[in-house]
């Protein structure tokens, strides 16, 4: 939410209680409009703020438009209160993303305020700032930049560069820099703007708008820790003002949605699920089960549950949404529209995928195939959406065939999924990453390593940008690429990926006693061994072996493989005492090793080899 959707600098506290009902203010009588007395003005403005904060923008616009018209008729265009009402109408238009309409109001208002109030009056500068906001959202960044810099210069000249009065122009410039991809400059500018918190407190809407922009900028930069810290401040501020995490106030819910999207982008499915549940419950309570916003929140919830692969729960949630959509379609007197049809096909596709993962294969296959066929038939109606459904369907059919050991079919479906993804008019980076990685994993099993490398090298920078350099997806891609390079005997490249990108993140997130950390470390040890970096290889194996021992009997063969390699490495370094001690230790465990020469030790790396998914 921008500051123009929050309490603007022009808003004054209204001390008068409204003496009119909402219906009277939405449709005022001719007498009320002609008299336009102070009570009517105050009541209309208070009603406007209440409707706006409840996100009932249509009603808010009707109230303030009627008030503006009455003020113009009564006092003329140069009246300050009339100009303020026009500004409020323009603000509502920006909230509704109707920027052309907003700008059509703002340019005459700017001329009027400049003539009546002066070029550097607070209200005149606010009008310029809102015009810049329209340019930013339409992508007209050069025009916006010129206006933002002019606004900032006026504020700095009037109040000084350290005044909190310059924070809002700085916020606009921060947004502009983020739009231009100048993320470091955006971050630094927004940090300066966040000084506003010192004067007005955390719960102020302008402060929260600045912090939300700062959190998104940190996320764009891949600084997830800082982004999380700022989002927590936003939640604390917004929910303090609206009743805490249990609040169902629209502005509180809007904030929770933004944070849920952040966690979803970072693949923190449990955190995202918790927040989407809150949003869905609040929408249900505020708007009812049939409202489109309620259904949208439920779709986001089942999507997150689906991504976390809790298919049983996802199937229940999808069924509930589909049932409600069918009820809504049944109540409509018109034929079902394309948007509703898209929603139904997507729901049935996801339900089919859930069924196939819950051992309801026949039902699941039927639903998935029906959805894919429907998407192919309707592709010309909405190519981007229906291609995305075909992509999703083929991707998951490919996974099912992989689980069934039908690798050739799995590969064909994954290729089709990637082809659909590449045909998007505007491909989604995360979807592209999933398709590239999915096909690479199948080809890895088929030992088509050159193509695996090509796919993963394309996927890695996309994943860095879309989910972050430390996300599970990014690290999985880097790990599989390292294994692929190891298979091709390119040990230096493989080792660099493992030591620089995979092992540090896995050890931090999973710890040393997890196979997700131990297997990349074992591969790194093998690379060091092949590169004759025996001390480094020895150190890695001495960390890996105790870790595998904590995993239980299922890893015995891998442990034996690691101990044999460690013995050979010690032989290379003539550490014969350590060799004897290690042989005695394992003889006591009932395992006897036969010393191997250098050539033999290089041929053992296929033992206990995991697939691309660890």
């Amino acid at each position: 939410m921008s500051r123009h959707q929050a309490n603007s600098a022009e808003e004054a506290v209204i001390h008068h209680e409204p003496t009119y009902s909402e219906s009277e203010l939405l449709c005022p009588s001719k007498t009320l409009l002609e008299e336009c007395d102070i009570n009517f003005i105050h009541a209309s403005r208070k009603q406007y703020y209440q409707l706006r904060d409840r996100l009932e923008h249509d009603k808010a616009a009707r109230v303030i438009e009627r008030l503006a018209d009455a003020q113009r008729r009564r006092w003329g265009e140069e009246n300050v209160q009339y100009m303020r009402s026009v500004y409020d109408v323009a603000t509502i238009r920006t909230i509704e993303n109707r920027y052309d309409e907003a700008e059509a109001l703002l340019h005459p208002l700017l001329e009027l305020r400049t003539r009546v109030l002066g070029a550097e009056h607070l209200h005149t500068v606010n009008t310029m700032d809102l015009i810049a906001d329209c340019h930013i959202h339409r992508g007209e960044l050069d025009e916006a930049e010129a206006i933002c810099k002019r606004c900032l210069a006026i504020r700095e000249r009037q109040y000084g560069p350290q005044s909190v009065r310059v924070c809002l122009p700085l916020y606009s410039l921060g947004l502009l820099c983020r739009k231009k991809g100048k993320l470091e400059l955006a971050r630094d500018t927004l940090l300066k703007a966040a000084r506003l918190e010192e004067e007005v407190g955390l719960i102020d809407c302008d402060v929260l708008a600045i912090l939300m922009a700062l959190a998104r900028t940190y996320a764009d930069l891949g600084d997830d820790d800082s982004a999380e810290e700022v989002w927590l401040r936003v939640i604390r501020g917004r929910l303090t003002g609206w009743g805490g995490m249990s609040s169902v106030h629209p502005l509180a819910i809007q904030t929770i949605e933004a944070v849920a999207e952040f966690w979803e982008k970072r693949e923190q499915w449990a955190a995202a699920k918790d927040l989407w549940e809150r949003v869905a419950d609040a929408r249900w309570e505020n708007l009812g089960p049939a409202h489109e916003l309620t259904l949208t929140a439920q779709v986001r919830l089942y999507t997150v549950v689906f991504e976390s692969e809790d298919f049983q729960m996802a199937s229940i949630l999808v069924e509930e949404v589909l049932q409600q959509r069918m009820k809504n379609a049944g109540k409509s007197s018109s034929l079902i529209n394309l948007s509703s049809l898209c929603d139904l096909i997507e729901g049935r596709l996801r339900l089919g995928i859930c069924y196939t993962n819950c051992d309801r294969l026949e039902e699941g296959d039927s639903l998935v195939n029906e959805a894919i066929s429907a998407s192919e038939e309707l592709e010309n109606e909405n190519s981007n959406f229906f291609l995305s459904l075909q992509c999703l369907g083929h991707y998951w059919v490919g996974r099912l065939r992989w689980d069934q050991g039908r690798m050739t079919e799995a590969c064909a479906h994954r290729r089709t999924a990637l082809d659909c993804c590449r045909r998007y008019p505007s491909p989604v980076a995360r979807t592209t990453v999933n398709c590239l990685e999915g096909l690479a994993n199948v080809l890895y099993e088929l030992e088509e390593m050159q193509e695996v490398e090509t796919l993963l090298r394309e996927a890695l920078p996309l994943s860095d940008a879309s989910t972050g350099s430390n996300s599970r997806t990014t690290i999985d891609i880097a790990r599989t690429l390292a294994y692929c390079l190891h298979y091709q005997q390119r040990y230096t490249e493989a080792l660099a990926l493992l030591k620089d990108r995979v092992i540090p993140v896995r050890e931090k997130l999973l710890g040393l006693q997890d196979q997700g950390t131990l297997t990349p470390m074992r591969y790194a040890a093998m690379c060091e061994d092949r590169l004759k970096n025996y001390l480094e290889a020895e150190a890695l194996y001495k960390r890996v072996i105790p870790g595998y021992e904590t995993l239980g009997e299922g890893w015995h063969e891998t442990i034996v493989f690691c101990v044999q390699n460690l013995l050979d490495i010690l032989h290379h370094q003539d550490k014969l005492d350590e060799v004897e001690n290690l042989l005695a230790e394992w003889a006591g465990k009932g395992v006897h090793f036969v010393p191997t020469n250098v050539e033999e030790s290089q041929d053992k790396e296929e033992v206990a080899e995991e697939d691309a998914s660890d």
Side-chain angles (χ1 to χ4, degrees), residues 362-476:
E362 189 173 340
E363 291 174 88
D365 273 344
S366 176
L367 284 170
V368 170
N369 290 330
E370 285 175 14
I372 290 174
S373 298
S375 298
E376 290 170 347
E377 291 174 10
L378 293 165
E379 185 178 319
N380 291 334
E381 300 292 334
N382 185 341
S383 60
N384 202 17
F385 179 78
F386 287 114
L387 279 170
S388 73
L389 290 192
Q390 292 173 51
C391 173
L392 180 66
H394 284 292
Y395 178 88
W396 280 95
V397 172
R399 172 163 168 171
L400 178 63
R401 298 295 177 261
W402 183 11
D403 290 342
Q404 294 170 335
R406 296 154 65 178
M407 291 299 175
T408 303
E409 293 176 56
C411 188
H413 281 287
R414 288 287 171 89
R415 285 193 189 281
T416 303
L418 180 58
D419 178 62
C420 290
C421 184
R422 293 195 190 283
R423 288 163 57 203
Y424 285 6
S426 302
V428 179
R430 187 163 168 269
T431 304
T432 306
V433 168
N434 289 342
C435 291
L436 288 166
E437 185 191 17
L439 177 57
N441 286 343
V442 176
L443 291 169
Y444 187 96
E445 292 297 317
L446 296 172
E447 300 185 3
E448 299 287 345
M449 293 302 175
Q450 287 189 338
E451 189 173 359
V452 170
E453 181 185 351
T454 300
L455 293 167
L456 293 179
R457 287 198 183 280
E458 181 181 351
L460 190 56
L462 287 174
S463 188
D464 273 331
S466 61
T467 66
S469 58
N470 292 341
S471 73
R472 175 183 171 181
T473 297
T474 302
I475 298 306
D476 284 353

Side-chain angles (χ1 to χ4, degrees), residues 80-359:
V80 173
Q81 291 298 319
Y82 163 72
M83 290 188 282
R84 178 181 173 186
S85 296
V86 174
Y87 180 88
D88 287 336
V89 176
T91 299
I92 287 290
R93 295 294 173 247
T94 63
I95 293 171
E96 298 173 317
N97 300 324
R98 294 158 65 177
Y99 298 107
D100 290 341
E101 295 176 44
E103 203 166 348
L105 293 167
L106 288 168
H107 282 293
L109 178 62
L110 179 60
E111 293 177 11
L112 193 58
R113 281 182 158 175
T114 302
R115 186 174 74 249
V116 175
L117 303 175
E120 297 194 358
H121 190 277
L122 173 66
H123 293 179
T124 307
V125 176
N126 286 345
T127 308
M128 292 166 55
D129 206 27
L130 193 51
I131 291 172
D133 194 56
C134 294
H135 285 308
I136 289 172
H137 284 90
R138 284 206 304 257
E140 298 162 358
L141 303 183
D142 291 336
E143 296 91 332
E145 185 172 11
I147 298 171
C148 287
K149 287 182 176 179
R150 184 180 169 194
C151 292
L152 181 61
I154 292 171
R155 292 287 177 88
E156 287 183 335
R157 189 161 57 247
Q158 289 175 334
Y159 304 107
Q162 300 306 315
S163 170
V164 294
R165 300 267 185 176
V166 306
C167 290
L168 295 183
L170 283 170
Y171 167 57
S172 292
L173 276 174
L175 290 181
L176 184 64
C177 292
R178 182 168 176 254
K179 283 273 187 179
K180 285 189 166 186
K182 300 176 181 179
L183 297 179
E184 289 83 1
L185 183 57
R187 176 199 58 205
D188 296 343
T189 305
L190 290 167
L191 280 169
K192 293 177 184 176
R195 294 199 313 264
L196 184 62
E197 182 185 340
E198 298 170 7
E199 179 164 308
V200 300
L202 183 58
I203 67 172
D204 180 81
C205 289
D206 290 336
V207 172
L208 292 171
I210 293 167
L211 291 178
M212 289 170 76
L214 179 59
R216 291 187 173 110
T217 304
Y218 275 131
D220 292 341
L221 286 165
D223 187 350
D224 292 350
D225 291 340
S226 296
E228 181 180 354
E229 187 271 331
V230 176
W231 275 123
L232 290 174
R233 285 167 63 196
V234 170
I235 290 178
R236 188 167 62 252
R238 177 58 58 79
L239 299 186
T240 297
W242 300 113
M245 284 298 284
S246 61
S247 172
V248 294
H249 191 285
L251 290 179
I253 297 307
Q254 197 173 64
T255 304
I256 295 173
E257 280 185 313
V259 183
E261 288 169 358
F262 167 73
W263 288 126
E264 194 175 333
K265 183 179 179 183
R266 297 301 164 190
E267 299 180 336
Q268 300 292 323
W269 306 122
K273 173 179 173 288
D274 179 59
L275 294 180
W276 280 121
E277 280 179 339
R278 294 175 188 274
V279 173
D281 290 345
R283 295 282 190 230
W284 185 293
E285 182 174 338
N286 285 342
L287 305 171
H291 197 283
E292 188 55 39
L293 285 177
T294 304
L295 292 171
T296 300
Q298 290 177 310
V299 168
R300 295 299 292 269
L301 173 59
Y302 76 55
T303 301
V304 167
V305 175
F306 180 94
E307 292 292 345
S308 67
E309 301 192 6
D310 184 352
F311 296 111
Q312 189 66 46
M313 178 57 70
S315 67
I316 294 170
L317 295 169
V318 176
E319 285 169 348
E320 289 176 355
V321 173
L322 285 175
Q323 288 170 7
Q324 186 61 58
R325 288 205 187 281
M326 293 306 294
K327 284 182 185 177
N328 290 356
K331 291 176 184 176
S332 174
S333 57
S334 60
L335 292 174
I336 188 168
N337 59 35
L338 180 61
S339 176
S340 300
L341 187 59
C342 291
D343 293 334
L344 288 170
I345 293 173
E346 180 183 13
R348 288 174 66 79
L349 173 60
R350 288 190 184 274
L351 185 60
I353 294 168
C354 289
Y355 283 170
T356 59
N357 283 278
C358 295
D359 297 325

